[in-house]
Amino acid sequence: MATLLPEIAYIQKLHAKIDEWNADIDKLTAKASQVEAESKIEYQKQIGTLKNKRDEVEKKVSEISRSGEDAWQDLKAGIDLAWEAMSEAIKSATS
């Protein structure tokens, strides 16, 4: 049971980050509603991309939650890549 503690902490960290990303997406959505039509289209594209990336991370978190200890390291590597892509997408969208 003690060997699962790092996995549980990691999953909790991922859920907290997903919550943060959801807040960022909500802020962008609110900002998009206040801009002109041409800018709004670009915001909506970025928001769609962010939601897709977030959904990908959530799917991987779900997989890691159900995985056995052996598969955990492989899934963690995939999540780390998805996490990095999502973080970069958020930075890009908010700049």
Side-chain angles (χ1 to χ4, degrees), residues 21-75:
W21 290 334
N22 286 334
D24 289 339
I25 290 169
D26 289 345
K27 287 177 193 173
L28 286 171
T29 302
K31 190 172 182 179
S33 69
Q34 299 173 357
V35 297
E36 295 179 22
E38 192 171 305
S39 295
K40 188 178 284 193
I41 292 169
E42 185 59 34
Y43 271 104
Q44 289 172 340
K45 284 183 192 177
Q46 289 180 350
I47 290 166
T49 299
L50 292 174
K51 286 181 177 180
N52 288 337
K53 289 182 183 299
R54 181 213 46 216
D55 292 346
E56 181 182 325
V57 172
E58 286 180 328
K59 181 180 175 186
K60 290 184 183 297
V61 169
S62 178
E63 289 173 12
I64 203 171
S65 296
R66 293 187 313 259
S67 72
E69 195 169 333
D70 294 337
W72 190 82
Q73 288 300 323
D74 292 335
L75 289 170

Side-chain angles (χ1 to χ4, degrees), residues 1-8 69 72-73:
M1 182 93 174
T3 59
L4 293 180
L5 291 179
E7 290 89 344
I8 293 169
E69 195 169 333
W72 190 82
Q73 288 300 323

